Amino acid sequence: MGKLRTTLTLLAAAGLAAAGVNTAVAGTTAATASCGLNLGSVTAGGDQTLQRLTASAPPAAGARSVVPNVYADGAARMVATLVNEATATGSSRSGRVVLGDSMYQHWLELDKSGKVTSSELARIGGGWSRFVDHETSVFNDDPAHPRTYEYALRSDGVLFRWVVGDTGAWKAYGSASGFAAVKSMTLISKAAAYDTFLANTRGGALYTIRIPVNSQLRPVVTKVRSATWQGFETLVAGGCGNYGTVVVGIDKETKSAYLYTFGHADGAKTSITGHGKVPGTFADPSYFRWAPPVKSDWLFGE
């Protein structure tokens, strides 16, 4: 597959219509309308999907492409951001997925018709049954050696971080408690000095969680909205312009999705525009973001 396949090791397997949202979308600017998100999912039957959502008024949903039977039925519990890159023969996809109790690095190659030509899973480690969310942050400060962190939220509210080295080895890089109320969290900023997540809680509040790049892992939590965001089991975010974010909130009870654009995150001063309900049914167990290659993937939400 033309890529270095390194045996990955895990050194510490176990070791948040909203209040204040502007729903008057008739005046949506052309710049905002051009913002979009490549939403991915894994179905209950193990199919992998990709669909382009656009922040128009109302929001638009493109055709949903499906690669069938990528995983065993019901096996995929959690999927972090996956990279999707065009190749001379089709496309290459890669990222981390939790299957059952174990996390794997997955490489997938498709031909130009969308048929799988190669699929490789490398087991990272076990102990992931107790975790409820995870995400990968790759910051392109140096294209040859980008900074790679893995974050994971355990069911008891402890947030963990690991550094993933160039050889694929993982090293524990801090943990913090106090996040038991979080329902979902999604990465909105990658910077030299910090990563920032947007999170909603079971009580309905919406927060940013800024995590400085240091070994203490002392998150800075800032309230964005105080209520009404509890309906979303999953938040998925992507970049929108130089300082904004496009966010889709997925309500698994109603099998529906709603699209928002956020201005630069600044606590309660953050501007949020609600674009409305996204066409279609959103009933898959796992959702995530399809990202471009690291050299093109910039998030400036905060």
Side-chain angles (χ1 to χ4, degrees), residues 16-251:
L16 168 267
V21 171
N22 173 17
T23 57
V25 297
T28 301
T29 66
T32 299
S34 67
C35 290
L37 174 72
N38 289 330
L39 181 67
S41 73
V42 175
T43 70
D47 304 341
Q48 198 180 77
T49 80
L50 187 156
Q51 186 175 32
R52 179 71 175 177
L53 307 183
T54 304
S56 52
R64 189 171 185 251
S65 67
V66 179
V67 180
N69 303 316
V70 174
Y71 308 106
D73 293 1
R77 289 188 55 246
M78 296 183 292
V79 185
T81 294
L82 298 184
V83 173
N84 185 40
E85 182 174 9
T87 65
T89 57
S91 62
S92 173
R93 298 177 172 185
S94 62
R96 300 191 179 103
V97 57
V98 174
L99 305 177
D101 185 59
S102 296
M103 178 180 282
Y104 296 83
Q105 178 74 27
H106 190 194
W107 296 275
L108 192 68
E109 300 284 344
L110 307 176
D111 64 19
K112 291 185 178 181
S113 70
K115 181 179 178 180
V116 176
T117 59
S118 179
S119 179
E120 182 178 346
L121 287 166
R123 187 176 183 272
I124 295 171
W128 288 89
S129 294
R130 296 182 62 194
F131 288 84
V132 295
D133 209 348
H134 78 100
E135 183 58 289
T136 305
S137 173
V138 184
F139 178 63
N140 187 22
D141 54 346
D142 180 348
H145 302 280
R147 182 198 77 201
T148 304
Y149 291 160
E150 191 74 20
Y151 296 90
L153 181 64
R154 205 167 60 188
S155 57
D156 60 357
V158 180
L159 180 65
F160 292 85
R161 179 179 60 188
W162 296 267
V163 176
V164 183
D166 288 349
T167 63
W170 289 37
K171 180 179 180 181
Y173 196 45
S175 63
S177 60
F179 295 95
V182 170
K183 289 191 73 173
S184 178
M185 54 193 295
T186 182
L187 189 66
I188 63 169
S189 277
K190 299 185 293 182
Y194 60 87
D195 287 326
T196 302
F197 288 85
L198 181 71
N200 67 321
T201 68
R202 293 176 178 82
L206 189 68
Y207 293 88
T208 55
I209 305 171
R210 174 189 280 203
I211 304 174
V213 178
N214 56 53
S215 59
Q216 288 79 24
L217 206 163
R218 294 176 179 171
V220 179
V221 179
T222 304
K223 184 179 290 185
V224 177
R225 296 292 187 268
S226 61
T228 76
W229 286 83
Q230 69 274 11
F232 298 131
E233 282 73 32
T234 303
L235 299 177
V236 181
C240 179
N242 291 331
Y243 302 103
T245 305
V246 56
V247 178
V248 59
I250 298 170
D251 184 338

